[in-house]
Each structure stands twice: as C-alpha cells, then as structure tokens.
Amino acid sequence: MRESAPPCGDLPWKQVNLQAVDATAAHKIYVSWHPEGRDDPNVPPLLAKIGHMPLAVMLLAKKAKSTRISAENLVEEYNQQGTVVVGQGFDAETSMEICIGLSVDSSRMKARPEAFLLLCILSMLPVGTTYKMLSEWWARDLPNLTGALEVLKSTALVEHRGNTFTVLPVVQRYILHTSRFLPQVQLAMTETACAFLKEHDSKVGDPRYKDDTAVLSAEDGNLEAVLLTTTAPDPNVIQDGLLLLARHQSNHRPRVDVIGHALSIARSLDDEALQGDIHFYFGNILYCLQDYAKSVDFLREALRLFLAARDEKRKVIECRLQLANSLRLASNTWREREKLIMEAQEDSKAIHDQLFIGRCLHELGKLHWSFTEYSTAISFLNQAEPLLTQDPYQHVACLQTFTWCYYWIGDFDTAYYRCAAPAFDQSTKMGDVRSRSYMAFDVGWVLSARGDYKGSLKALLQYLELRKSMGLEPSGYALEGIALAWVKLRKIKDARWAFKQAKLVYNTSADERKSDWGKLCRIQFFLKRLDDPRIYPTDNERCALNCLYSHNHIERILTP
C-alpha cells in the first residue's frame, strides 16, 4: 500500500512499515531475479541510486534480465530519465512511476497544496533534515508545516528516522523531473542556502566557530546539492554560497565538486578578484587533498588575478604565503619560496599588519626547517610566535613547525611538552578537524620517539579516524608508525598487518610525499626485522630510515 494510514479506521489492522533494505539485502534481491548480474561491479552503485527499495530493485533486475542491458547502462539511463526507467508496466506493481504517482496524486495531497511544495523542498535535500532546520530555514515560509509533514508521512512519501525527515531516492528523482518540480523552489532554496552559510560564517578561533561548523557539517550534503543546481553566473551566489561552503569543506571534508562548479559557472564573469578567490580556494582544497603540484598551479593563477585586480593587498599576501607553503611539498625550491615570503613580508610591513608579519616570520622558519637549518628556523619561530598568539589557528601552525624542529634535533621532551601537546589541546578546543588531525599525527610521532608506544598508538589511530571523517584515504606514515608501536608492544601479528597496509598505501597513494624515495625500502626492512630482530639496516636502508626518522628515533627503534 502507498499509505501509512489503514483503510476503514474502525477496524483493527496490523501495520508493518516497509522500509528500504541494506545494500547486501538489496544485492541479494537483485541477484535472485537476475543471477547474471551477481559479479557486475556496477550493480551496487545502481542499487544505491534507488535507495535499496525492494520494489525498485526487483523492477530493475527484471528489466536487466529481459533486455540484457548492463548495470552501467542502466545507471546512465536512470541519470537521464529518472524513475521512468524503473519498470514500465501498467500498474503499481510493475511501474515505479505509477506506484509513486498513486501517492503524489492522492486526494490527501491535493487537499493540501503545501504538502507538494514541502515535498519539492525535501527532494532537494538528499541527506534529509530536521524539523528545526525546516521551520527555521528550508521551509520557514511554508504555511502549516506540521500539517504538510503529516500528509507526506501518511502517503509514504517521506520517512522520519530519528529526528530526520528524508525522501527516498526514487521519490526524489520522480519529483525533481522537470515536468513536476516547481522551479521557484530551486531559487528560494538557493537564497536560503546562501543566507544559512552567511549566518554561520565564522573563522577558526572565533567563539562561534565550533558550533557553526557542527551545524554546517550536518547540512553539508544538502547545501552542496542545492548549490550545485545553480547555473547562472551570479556573483552573490558564488561568493556567499559556493565559496563559503568550499572554505568549510576544505577544513572538514575537502573535495572539489563545489569549488569546481564555482569555477565553471564563473568563467564568463569579468571579475578578477572573484576569479582569484575561486582559484585560491581551489588551490587550498587541492593542498588538503595532497595534490601539491596542482595546488601550486591554482595558487599561482590566483596570485596573478589578485595582482591584476589591484587594491587586494591582503589577498596578495595570503596567496603568497599559501603558495610558498604548497611549494614546500611540491618542489621545495628555496629561491621561489624565499622571494614569495620576502614580498609578503614587505607588503605586511607596509600595511602595519602584525599578524601577517608573524606569519611571514613563521614561513621563513618553515623554509629553514625544510632545508635542515633547525637553529635558524627556531630563531625565526621565536620571533613569530608572540605575533601569532592572537590567532589560535596560526599559533597552532607555528607550534607544529616548532615540534618538527625540536624533533629533528633530538629534543623530544621539548617537542612534546612545549609544542605538540599544547597545540593538540588548542586545536581540539577550536573545533578545527584539519589542524587537530595534523597535531594528532605529530603527537603520535613524538611520543614514539620518546618511547611512549601506547600513547603513540592511541594518537596515530585517532589521526586515522580523523582522516576518515574528512573523507581522506589512510596515511602510510601513520600506518608505519602504528606498526612500530605494535612491534614495541610485542603485537607482531598486528604489526605485520600494519606494515603491509602501509606498503599498500605507499604503492597506491596519489602523493604520500613523493620526495620520500625510501618508504618501500623501509617497509621491506621492517618486515624482515619482524622475523629476525637482530637484523640491522644496510647503508641503503639506513638512508631510507633517515628520510623519515631523526637519528635518536632510529636508535630507539633499533633497540630490541
């Protein structure tokens, strides 16, 4: 039945709420009707698109069996035509369109026009949303919201799980078809998304930042879905919508869809400052995704655009500093990095900005650190730190560089107590996932060097969890550190597994520091040493260890 309310209200009925099944069960249903599709890798994505609804799964499987159309082609058809692909029979049992239409065209829906309007709104929110978000943002102008929700629930067009209202993917697809969807809804939703992002636009270190990012993260998927429907090159939508969302994503779950869309629709705009912003955010996101070479390309273009725009001195300084940082991991050339930093420093002094001056000193410290000039680096960092305490995010970044300088000179206690531990605590208080993940790794690495393997294991496992929450692949370096901790804790089976996982990541990772030529050599050495702890590294293996570990850390690792 396409309703949640039974007929003949005076009669007792036993009701069962038939919900979508999980991915495994959906695959079993599909294969039971179409056994030839058992091993087709495109079947799971196809079933995910229809929300694992049993009727839709059965109809698609029947269609695939009768027509011999591949799951890959069915995905393409579904993307183009929507629910009409899911069964083309003449009744609700053989056509998904008719099945959904019974509810949409029911007398209850027609009696409450606001219910269809709400259905259009919810169909644009793929991850679902709460009553609070509907009443305060997405549907705040809708008359009788609770009545509309009641109708949608009674006609089985909306599901209510926990505190979230969602529309099933097949129903979303049906409603979003151009012949049914109300175009004014898309415009209103875009305006709401921009207003919502502006309302929660706070930066790392602001008192509201932690709460704002929690709210934005909860609606991230919905905001993205709404803003990706925009096609007109509206500077306000780009600046107040796409770029604000891209900035949030860069710190919490970096991906290129939103910023790529901004770049695409803004191509026709003659606005160098806006184009510079787009390229700058694109470069930052690529840096987070460890695509450093492309990050450098986008940041160079952003710098060119900001310089051409004029009157964008602060953006020019910001871009030069970020470009210098990306170059550190892309090519690590001294001359270009130093030139960028010195130009940024000169501009910072011209506008008397102490924070920017501090950031330039920090970047100079980073420059000397990356060329193993640790004493000079620490000198610059000591000058930078007092100027950076006003910005918690920049202060954490400075403490991180301090951490590695002290690590490489073998002062592990200072690296931990003076730098890494306070920076981790501060990043946790800020609520910034990216800086917290960086510091979790640093804490784990320094604790390993100090011989605290339980603490190291805990921190590095936390780092992997934080990366996972950001949608990033596992880190080979973290897995290598975890394996070493397990070796020292006498869990050899776990250590062997972690070393092999690290090797797998090193072989498949898009980056994982290409300059570290010795990573696979190290893993092979550590795996051999699991079988015979008396083995010491050859000259080549020692060089590979030196790529990642300080001298004192290596000696601690090699001590039985």
Side-chain angles (χ1 to χ4, degrees):
M1 297 177 65
R2 289 295 307 164
E3 287 201 19
S4 59
C8 306
D10 294 335
L11 296 176
W13 286 80
K14 182 178 179 181
Q15 290 181 257
V16 178
N17 187 18
L18 298 177
Q19 297 182 343
V21 296
D22 62 28
T24 302
H27 193 265
K28 287 182 179 179
I29 294 171
Y30 186 93
V31 170
S32 70
W33 289 96
H34 183 38
E36 290 85 351
R38 182 184 304 276
D39 300 319
D40 188 337
N42 294 297
V43 167
L46 174 65
L47 303 184
K49 280 189 172 293
I50 57 174
H52 305 122
M53 286 299 294
L55 174 61
V57 172
M58 179 193 72
L59 293 175
L60 276 178
K62 283 185 172 181
K63 182 166 189 170
K65 183 176 182 179
S66 63
T67 62
R68 298 296 174 183
I69 296 175
S70 68
E72 182 180 11
N73 289 333
L74 283 174
V75 169
E76 292 176 6
E77 279 198 35
Y78 187 78
N79 288 337
Q80 295 171 3
Q81 302 178 43
T83 48
V84 69
V85 174
V86 190
Q88 294 179 312
F90 300 98
D91 56 42
E93 292 184 6
T94 56
S95 169
M96 206 71 212
E97 290 253 309
I98 295 174
C99 181
I100 297 170
L102 288 174
S103 292
V104 174
D105 298 328
S106 67
S107 58
R108 293 186 187 192
M109 288 288 291
K110 289 178 179 177
R112 289 281 181 84
E114 67 271 20
F116 184 75
L117 185 58
L118 180 59
L119 184 58
C120 288
I121 291 171
L122 284 167
S123 293
M124 289 192 71
L125 307 174
V127 299
T129 194
T130 62
Y131 178 81
K132 185 177 185 334
M133 278 298 301
L134 287 170
S135 62
E136 295 181 5
W137 289 96
W138 298 119
R140 59 185 171 191
D141 296 326
L142 189 77
N144 196 6
L145 174 60
T146 54
L149 282 170
E150 186 179 12
V151 171
L152 292 178
K153 286 183 65 181
S154 71
T155 52
L157 289 167
V158 164
E159 286 193 340
H160 190 195
R161 296 183 182 181
N163 65 344
T164 302
F165 292 94
T166 57
V167 176
L168 292 170
V170 285
V171 178
Q172 288 176 17
R173 193 69 186 171
Y174 178 90
I175 296 300
L176 292 174
H177 192 276
T178 53
S179 64
R180 304 180 189 94
F181 187 68
L182 302 175
Q184 65 268 30
V185 171
Q186 191 270 337
L187 294 174
M189 293 286 278
T190 300
E191 290 178 3
T192 300
C194 292
F196 183 75
L197 283 158
K198 286 186 72 176
E199 176 71 18
H200 298 89
D201 177 28
S202 55
K203 296 181 180 178
V204 180
D206 290 349
R208 292 175 42 199
Y209 180 78
K210 202 168 185 177
D211 291 336
D212 282 342
T213 53
V215 173
L216 288 175
S217 294
E219 290 294 320
D220 186 317
N222 292 329
L223 292 164
E224 179 173 309
V226 170
L227 291 172
L228 288 181
T229 65
T230 60
T231 55
D234 183 340
N236 292 326
V237 173
I238 295 169
Q239 194 77 58
D240 299 336
L242 292 163
L243 290 187
L244 289 184
L245 182 57
R247 190 177 74 189
H248 165 76
Q249 290 180 344
S250 70
N251 284 334
H252 294 270
R253 198 174 176 84
R255 50 196 187 276
V256 299
D257 303 61
V258 169
I259 195 64
H261 187 63
L263 183 65
S264 175
I265 65 174
R267 290 188 191 281
S268 61
L269 295 176
D270 185 20
D271 187 334
E272 288 166 328
L274 181 58
Q275 296 280 4
D277 285 337
I278 294 170
H279 283 80
F280 178 76
Y281 284 121
F282 213 138
N284 274 348
I285 289 174
L286 289 169
Y287 176 89
C288 297
L289 294 172
Q290 298 180 320
D291 194 343
Y292 304 119
K294 286 185 180 177
S295 171
V296 165
D297 291 341
F298 273 91
L299 291 170
R300 280 186 175 137
E301 179 62 11
L303 180 57
R304 184 192 70 78
L305 289 162
F306 287 144
L307 288 168
R310 300 180 182 179
D311 299 324
E312 294 290 352
K313 288 184 179 179
R314 293 183 179 278
K315 289 181 179 179
V316 168
I317 296 169
E318 184 81 50
C319 195
R320 279 179 170 143
L321 292 174
Q322 184 58 51
L323 177 54
N325 188 48
S326 290
L327 281 166
R328 174 175 62 90
L329 294 165
S331 57
N332 202 23
T333 54
W334 176 283
R335 181 174 296 179
E336 186 177 4
R337 286 175 64 194
E338 184 183 43
K339 181 175 181 292
L340 286 163
I341 298 166
M342 299 309 293
E343 288 172 341
Q345 188 176 52
E346 184 179 341
D347 290 344
S348 300
K349 289 177 179 178
I351 61 173
H352 308 290
D353 191 303
Q354 294 301 301
L355 179 59
F356 269 139
I357 291 171
R359 290 180 61 186
C360 292
L361 290 167
H362 173 208
E363 206 61 43
L364 283 170
K366 221 187 288 187
L367 175 65
H368 286 274
W369 157 59
S370 61
F371 282 89
T372 69
E373 297 176 356
Y374 303 120
S375 297
T376 306
I378 290 171
S379 176
F380 276 114
L381 295 174
N382 281 327
Q383 296 175 62
E385 187 179 14
L387 302 175
L388 298 177
T389 53
Q390 59 181 295
D391 185 324
Y393 183 83
Q394 296 300 333
H395 188 211
V396 166
C398 184
L399 289 174
Q400 183 184 30
T401 310
F402 262 129
T403 298
W404 287 104
C405 287
Y406 284 116
Y407 168 82
W408 282 104
I409 63 176
D411 189 350
F412 303 142
D413 286 348
T414 301
Y416 178 70
Y417 290 109
R418 158 77 172 82
C419 310
F424 179 76
D425 291 342
Q426 192 165 324
S427 64
T428 302
K429 289 176 184 175
M430 289 190 306
D432 183 62
V433 178
R434 183 162 57 145
S435 60
R436 188 178 172 210
S437 71
Y438 291 159
M439 293 317 306
F441 178 85
D442 294 357
V443 165
W445 207 257
V446 174
L447 286 176
S448 173
R450 295 182 70 244
D452 181 356
Y453 299 111
K454 286 185 179 179
S456 173
L457 182 62
K458 179 181 177 182
L460 292 173
L461 288 172
Q462 186 177 17
Y463 170 67
L464 288 184
E465 283 301 311
L466 288 167
R467 283 183 66 88
K468 185 178 179 181
S469 75
M470 296 172 71
L472 301 175
E473 64 182 13
S475 161
Y477 295 109
L479 287 164
E480 187 174 330
I482 286 167
L484 287 172
W486 270 327
V487 169
K488 294 296 186 178
L489 294 171
R490 302 291 190 267
K491 295 189 175 181
I492 303 305
K493 184 178 179 181
D494 292 330
R496 192 181 303 277
W497 175 86
F499 278 133
K500 289 181 177 179
Q501 289 299 306
K503 182 179 180 181
L504 181 64
V505 172
Y506 287 148
N507 276 321
T508 59
S509 172
D511 187 90
E512 210 54 90
R513 266 180 61 193
K514 292 172 184 173
S515 61
D516 179 11
W517 62 269
K519 52 197 175 214
L520 293 176
C521 179
R522 278 196 313 271
I523 296 298
Q524 289 301 116
F525 167 70
F526 286 136
L527 285 170
K528 284 191 301 180
R529 207 161 186 268
L530 289 180
D531 298 322
D532 186 357
R534 297 169 299 177
I535 291 177
Y536 268 72
T538 63
D539 290 344
N540 195 46
E541 289 166 342
R542 174 72 71 166
C543 288
L545 291 170
N546 289 336
C547 288
L548 192 61
Y549 302 94
S550 70
H551 173 76
N552 291 350
H553 196 177
I554 292 172
E555 295 310 308
R556 189 179 289 277
I557 289 169
L558 297 179
T559 301

